[in-house]
Amino acid sequence: LLACGFSKTRIKTLCDELTFNTFLNIVLLFLLTKSESARIESHIRNVDVLRRMRNDVVHGNIRAEDIDETNARNGIEGALHVVAFIRKKLQGA
């Protein structure tokens, strides 16, 4: 964000108000090239599905027994891919 012209104060304010959803679906994509975004797009979608399932369970919209195991597995694997991608990108920075 510094390279994009954001001040350190503005970045701190954004971080204080940043939700996981906002980071994953908006901020992260601004920090990536088009090809990088394309590489992790499906993984981000899988994480979003997992997050929705979690919210549905927490808010009583579905029971834990009704969770689609394939979607849960894909979401977990997607999260691992996104984290590995971010780590690799940070090491190269």
Side-chain angles (χ1 to χ4, degrees):
L1 292 176
L2 282 173
C4 294
F6 285 80
S7 69
K8 288 182 181 182
T9 304
R10 183 66 179 141
I11 293 171
K12 179 169 179 0
T13 301
L14 288 172
C15 288
D16 290 345
E17 299 173 7
L18 191 63
T19 65
F20 181 76
N21 180 56
T22 303
F23 175 76
L24 185 66
N25 291 290
I26 298 171
V27 175
L28 179 60
L29 298 178
F30 280 125
L31 301 175
L32 304 177
T33 65
K34 278 182 132 178
S35 64
E36 289 172 332
S37 294
R39 275 197 309 238
I40 66 167
E41 180 180 357
S42 65
H43 300 303
I44 290 174
R45 272 189 268 125
N46 288 335
V47 172
D48 284 336
V49 168
L50 181 63
R51 290 179 47 254
R52 282 192 296 276
M53 285 190 312
R54 177 256 177 216
N55 289 342
D56 284 343
V57 169
V58 169
H59 295 291
N61 299 331
I62 63 171
R63 297 175 308 152
E65 301 83 37
D66 298 327
I67 291 175
D68 182 309
E69 288 185 38
T70 301
N71 285 341
R73 185 175 296 109
N74 290 342
I76 293 166
E77 289 173 1
L80 294 172
H81 282 284
V82 170
V83 169
F85 180 87
I86 291 170
R87 280 186 174 164
K88 186 176 179 181
K89 183 154 177 77
L90 289 173
Q91 288 173 349

